[in-house]
Amino acid sequence: MTTENSAMTDVCVLGLGYIGLPTAAILATSGFHVTGVDTSPAIVETVNGGGIHIEEPGLKTVVRAAIQSGHLRAAAAPLAADVFIIAVPTPLTGEKRADMSFVMQATESIAPLLRPGNLVILESTSPPGTCADLIRPRLEQGGLRVGEDLFLAHCPERVLPGRILTELIANDRVIGGIDPASAEKARAVYGRFVEGKIFLTDATTAETVKIIENTFRDVNIALANETALLCERLGIDFWEVMRFANRHPRVNLHNAGPGVGGHCISVDPWFMVERFPEDTPLIALARTRNDTMPHHVAARIMQELGHARGPVAALGLAYKGNVDDLRESPAVEVVRLLRENGLDVRAHDPLARRAPFATVPLDDALRGADCAVILTAHDAYRELDPARAARLMRRPLVYDTHNMINRDAWRAAGFEVITLGRG
Ligand SMILES: NC(=O)c1ccc[n+]([C@@H]2O[C@H](COP(=O)([O-])OP(=O)(O)OC[C@H]3O[C@@H](n4cnc5c(N)ncnc54)[C@H](O)[C@@H]3O)[C@@H](O)[C@H]2O)c1
């Protein structure tokens, strides 16, 4: 039986997605006995078979090894454990508020299993105050007291999709305990595999750190996007402005692009706006600026096509290059806007799964098209042969929303090249 003083050996990870599955697998290969829980029966079956349901370099090998060693198993419901890690989604509602229903369902599911000495860790990105005001009261309904019988901490994730396994181990971590003992207890778990520095603080500070990290990125990208639009108006080149401005020792102008997507940067800033609407004009405005970018891209395509309005090859649907994740993707939004305006859009993505509409092979997307728009910075598009594209397309027009292709090579193949941010 687990007691307050016994070592923590059994971990239950709730949610086997982009964060939970790599975390569960690494914990398992670090000596813990891990039960990975997911409400999707298909995911449970895939993981128990040693497979994975997401695209992430190296993950399959680690999951297979963890399953084969017997240290990881997936299940549909949580089991008693020493440590519970909640890594379920925290998406936005239609009203741009944090949807905490998954976190609360996960908390509900572990509440009957809690025993003295248990540690509950919230990994899901959550509005400031979630551990203290939402999770703590629910955990205490069974009579155990957080801070006396139970430990509770927030340990936000800051991994980069595509490098999750590396960054899970190498990144510095911030752990916020509901009290110092909870933070220390959580440090003992992460200390088993994290090679970066671990910083301890309180739970609300850790929640705020995570939100502000992503808000910092969003606000800076909004500034880059706004500058790119200004450069188009001025008839100059944003990418040159960026290059020269960044020669200043204290300036780091970010890349402009067709918008901001993904489960984090385009979502988390709203968690602060929701809580303090009067005090977040800058954060809200940056979000809005980034959300207008797909409209700008779609309008530019329609302007270039004029009345001809031939087929458009949409290259890329994922929210960023070399990942399969389509959540909140501005590329999907561009396709939606073009279709809404009656255009025939053929979408291609080499990695995307579960696209909200049918995708076609690359050649089929390009064949007969009047415009190819590169919406996602996948390496596959950087390497695309312009001569091949020219042979397939009806009109040799390419719109590069990431400034990623070799303009000279495309021009030499007969293309008219438009670049976002270049006037
Ligand atoms: N993906 C990232 O790069 C990233 C980075 C940092 C932080 N985060 C945060 O981590 C959290 C998880 O994100 P993700 O990308 O892993 O999400 P995801 O959608 O990939 O995975 C979440 C999984 O949780 C499962 N689930 C939902 N409710 C459940 C429940 N009650 N019990 C058990 N399983 C349940 C879902 O079926 C899904 O498989 C979010 O709060 C996100 O903001 C994500």
Side-chain angles (χ1 to χ4, degrees):
M1 187 183 142
T2 306
T3 67
E4 194 166 338
N5 296 320
S6 67
M8 296 179 287
T9 55
D10 293 348
V11 181
C12 188
V13 178
L14 292 105
L16 294 178
Y18 287 92
I19 297 301
L21 183 55
T23 302
I26 287 200
L27 285 166
T29 53
S30 306
F32 290 100
H33 288 278
V34 182
T35 305
V37 179
D38 206 287
T39 44
S40 156
I43 293 176
V44 170
E45 193 184 326
T46 303
V47 172
N48 276 333
I52 58 173
H53 61 102
I54 48 177
E55 196 68 42
E56 182 60 35
L59 183 60
K60 197 168 183 173
T61 312
V62 184
V63 169
R64 198 188 301 124
I67 291 285
Q68 281 171 356
S69 72
H71 281 253
L72 173 65
R73 64 178 291 271
L79 302 173
D82 303 306
V83 183
F84 296 91
I85 297 180
I86 299 174
V88 298
T90 45
L92 278 182
T93 65
E95 291 78 42
K96 308 274 186 211
R97 302 178 73 82
D99 177 354
M100 300 306 289
S101 61
F102 299 96
V103 168
M104 288 321 289
Q105 281 159 18
T107 307
E108 289 288 336
S109 72
I110 61 170
L113 303 169
L114 292 174
R115 299 173 303 195
N118 277 176
L119 166 65
V120 177
I121 298 173
L122 175 67
E123 279 230 8
S124 302
T125 306
S126 301
T130 297
C131 279
D133 303 334
L134 209 60
I135 297 184
R136 179 183 193 152
R138 178 61 193 92
L139 296 182
E140 289 185 335
Q141 277 176 19
L144 297 174
R145 311 293 306 163
V146 171
E148 292 167 29
D149 314 304
L150 298 173
F151 301 92
L152 172 62
H154 179 52
C155 186
E157 256 315 332
R158 31 168 71 148
V159 290
L160 184 71
R163 284 176 45 84
I164 291 181
L165 286 174
T166 310
E167 295 207 353
L168 213 53
I169 293 169
N171 284 356
D172 291 348
R173 305 287 296 231
V174 176
I175 296 177
I178 208 85
D179 61 347
S182 293
E184 281 297 350
K185 195 108 170 153
R187 188 216 300 262
V189 175
Y190 290 94
R192 291 273 283 274
F193 66 90
V194 170
E195 290 173 4
K197 288 201 175 77
I198 296 179
F199 298 90
L200 302 190
T201 182
D202 64 89
T204 304
T205 300
E207 288 159 349
T208 304
V209 167
K210 172 67 193 177
I211 303 291
I212 288 304
E213 286 169 4
N214 282 342
T215 303
F216 172 89
R217 309 256 301 127
D218 199 46
V219 170
N220 278 282
I221 296 168
L223 176 64
N225 282 334
E226 193 157 298
T227 309
L229 300 186
L230 293 172
C231 289
E232 289 186 7
R233 297 284 299 276
L234 287 165
I236 60 174
D237 184 346
F238 165 78
W239 304 95
E240 190 170 280
V241 168
M242 180 181 126
R243 192 157 50 89
F244 291 151
N246 286 348
R247 301 303 296 176
H248 183 293
R250 285 166 296 281
V251 170
N252 178 20
L253 198 55
H254 287 32
N255 285 326
V260 174
H263 194 25
C264 293
I265 299 180
S266 67
V267 170
D268 303 347
W270 291 118
F271 294 1
M272 205 57 101
V273 176
E274 161 190 347
R275 184 88 198 269
F276 302 106
E278 303 293 320
D279 301 312
T280 47
L282 173 67
I283 298 174
L285 195 58
R287 265 301 50 249
T288 307
R289 162 52 76 209
N290 287 331
D291 279 350
T292 61
M293 292 310 288
H295 294 264
H296 174 77
V297 171
R300 183 77 197 267
I301 293 167
M302 289 188 280
Q303 180 198 332
E304 290 297 330
L305 290 178
H307 293 300
R309 300 237 165 155
V312 174
L315 305 187
L317 291 176
Y319 81 91
K320 61 174 268 189
N322 302 324
V323 303
D324 67 346
D325 194 344
L326 265 59
R327 289 177 291 181
E328 318 292 331
S329 174
V332 171
E333 181 65 3
V334 170
V335 172
R336 199 185 60 74
L337 288 167
L338 291 173
R339 288 195 173 151
E340 237 174 51
N341 280 279
L343 270 79
D344 172 11
V345 184
R346 292 127 188 221
H348 168 265
D349 191 295
L351 301 174
R353 300 184 193 195
R354 297 184 288 267
F357 36 72
T359 56
V360 297
L362 181 57
D363 281 7
D364 292 353
L366 293 169
R367 192 170 291 112
D370 277 353
C371 174
V373 54
I374 300 178
L375 293 170
T376 304
H378 288 313
D379 286 345
Y381 302 137
R382 212 181 303 278
E383 291 148 14
L384 180 59
D385 175 13
R388 173 176 149 208
R391 277 195 300 277
L392 290 164
M393 290 175 64
R394 187 168 72 175
R395 176 179 166 194
L397 170 65
V398 63
Y399 181 10
D400 179 3
T401 66
H402 292 282
N403 188 35
M404 61 181 280
I405 58 172
N406 180 335
R407 272 191 302 158
D408 292 340
W410 282 73
R411 283 199 182 119
F415 272 89
E416 182 189 345
V417 180
I418 310 167
T419 311
L420 186 135
R422 197 167 273 139

